[in-house]
Amino acid sequence: MNEHIVSSYDEDIKDLQEQVVAMGGLVEKIWMDAMDCVKNANDKAALQVIESDKKIDSMELKIYDKSMRLLALRSPLASDLRIVVSAMRMASSLERLGDHAKNIARREKLISTGDHPEIISLLTRMYDLSHSALQQAINAYRNSNPGSAEEIRANDARVDELFDSTVAIVLNLMAPKNPPLETEALASLLFIAKSLERMGDMTTNIAEIIIFQETGSFPTDERPRGKDHQGGLMESLAEKEKDI
Amino acid sequence: MSDKIKIQVEDVNVFYGDIQALFDVTLDIKSKEITSLIGPSGCGKSTFLRCMNRMNDVIDGCRVEGKITIDGENIYDADKDPVLLRARVGMVFQKPNPFPKTIFENVAYGPKIHGLASNTSELREIVENSLEQAGLMDEVKDRLNDSATDLSGGQQQRICIARAIAVNPEIILMDEPCSALDPIATARVEELMGNLSNNYTIVIVTHSMQQAARVSTNTAFFHLGHLVEFNATKQIFTNPSDKRTEDYITGKVG
């Protein structure tokens, strides 16, 4: 890639891309810690995940800030424009990945009460594939390598298959306690509830984007959360069942 | 917007004496659209613009080869009168250049010499209509007899656009029409260009990438006398196909 005539423009673009790579590195790390929680019931790792997620959130805001400045002051075009728009979208996706890792860590205590090595092994395989794909993606980004990025897209199907296998095994384990159709229905309800919870989170993201658009800054205070949410969805569902 | 081709350029080569300024330029300019010509200084874009109304004819030693047709007629045919051509193909220059006369006379001059009005009321109508189209009427209606050179730079440039419109052209060529204007006057001229493109085919040479991106539907990039890339403006500015285009619009050096 040739250099800009204005060398500080090159530095700005380089700095933006380095910020995205650094954020990607931290997301790789947070997922390692999150999986450590799942495999080894590691309390320390769970705390580490919560801390890293806060850092990831602030990195996202810094990338937005830098991108805005580049758009306003440099009027980027062609590949420069695509770099800035992509940095913002990467930051947003990485932030969501961080959230998912945090959600896993929050369940650390809940899953530690069960003993399901077969499922943990499937989850580990899903993790291994996805985590190496994430590493490959960050490297593809760093090295401007679209070929490598294409490979990642092609490989995601394997993770989907492992997900289906995991769901099938979980359903089988639940089955003895419930009729088969009832088990599937309950599991589906759980997924729907999870999707609705994500819908809530993403709508809140949209709300925060609107606040930013109108005021120029994102809200900095903690988001209000549900009373039982910290303990995880499973726990709150279990309590509700008891109530019934 | 239409798909009709207004200007067809085929294998055009331009020489200034022994020096070749344009090499085998071929492109089609669509009717009632704005086409931008961009490229570094000396790339041939202004030379190319001036081929389209034979302004290069007045330069000693300048030779144009190839074919340029407007609505199918070759403008370089021996029987074509360049003066009549320049009424069909108007031009607006970088620096506003009103005549040292009144606002009215500036706009009335062209219609008078081309005999477009048979009496004063017709002439007045042409002048007022041209000023209206140039978005200037409200600002100057009470001072049509004031000197045009007393107007602001932006207003002077719009007088020049009104002057070009007054002779009822089909095409308006603009050679960096906003480079001497402030951002407000530039925005007014750009807004005006958008309105004018409903009735006229506009070709603009500009050094401002943002201006080309804002105003034009198609963009041509020239480099060292060659037409390197000609495509939809949105394609040129988001994903150009030639590396030389990419380097130029992003401000890079090889």
Side-chain angles (χ1 to χ4, degrees), chain A residues 15-16 19 58-73 84 87-88 91 212 216-218:
Chain A
D15 178 49
L16 178 68
Q19 284 189 39
S58 79
M59 288 171 111
E60 182 197 23
L61 294 185
K62 277 201 185 124
I63 289 169
Y64 284 164
D65 191 50
K66 180 87 191 172
S67 303
M68 280 266 288
R69 239 180 310 152
L70 264 159
L71 287 169
L73 305 182
V84 175
M88 294 173 81
F212 170 74
S217 55
F218 281 100

Side-chain angles (χ1 to χ4, degrees), chain B residues 160-202:
Chain B
C160 296
I161 293 172
R163 197 171 64 188
I165 294 169
V167 292
N168 201 18
E170 297 155 41
I171 298 162
I172 303 172
L173 308 177
M174 296 183 164
D175 196 352
E176 294 189 57
C178 299
S179 61
L181 306 186
D182 71 25
I184 302 290
T186 298
R188 293 221 167 89
V189 170
E190 288 180 2
E191 167 73 5
L192 173 61
M193 289 171 69
N195 296 336
L196 293 176
S197 67
N198 293 322
N199 300 313
Y200 307 95
T201 302
I202 298 176

Side-chain angles (χ1 to χ4, degrees), chain B residues 81-217:
Chain B
D81 178 353
V83 176
L84 290 179
L85 172 72
R86 285 174 208 140
R88 285 177 77 193
V89 187
M91 190 147 187
V92 177
F93 297 87
Q94 179 172 9
K95 210 167 153 231
N97 55 352
F99 307 131
K101 289 169 179 289
T102 67
I103 293 168
F104 185 91
E105 282 166 347
N106 259 277
V107 184
Y109 182 79
K112 269 198 229 168
I113 61 163
H114 286 286
L116 298 179
S118 55
N119 55 48
T120 22
S121 79
E122 266 183 37
L123 186 62
R124 191 164 190 90
E125 198 182 320
I126 292 174
V127 170
E128 287 180 357
N129 182 35
S130 304
L131 288 168
E132 191 70 51
Q133 280 197 73
L136 202 57
M137 194 54 191
D138 283 350
E139 292 163 57
V140 301
K141 60 176 181 248
D142 299 326
R143 45 202 280 223
L144 292 178
N145 293 320
D146 289 3
S147 172
T149 51
D150 290 344
L151 295 171
S152 73
Q155 288 172 326
Q156 287 187 21
Q157 194 60 304
R158 281 181 287 147
I159 285 285
C160 296
I161 293 172
R163 197 171 64 188
I165 294 169
V167 292
N168 201 18
E170 297 155 41
I171 298 162
I172 303 172
L173 308 177
M174 296 183 164
D175 196 352
E176 294 189 57
C178 299
S179 61
L181 306 186
D182 71 25
I184 302 290
T186 298
R188 293 221 167 89
V189 170
E190 288 180 2
E191 167 73 5
L192 173 61
M193 289 171 69
N195 296 336
L196 293 176
S197 67
N198 293 322
N199 300 313
Y200 307 95
T201 302
I202 298 176
V203 185
I204 175 177
V205 162
T206 177
H207 274 137
S208 161
M209 299 303 99
Q210 277 68 34
Q211 179 166 64
R214 284 191 298 262
V215 302
S216 64
T217 309

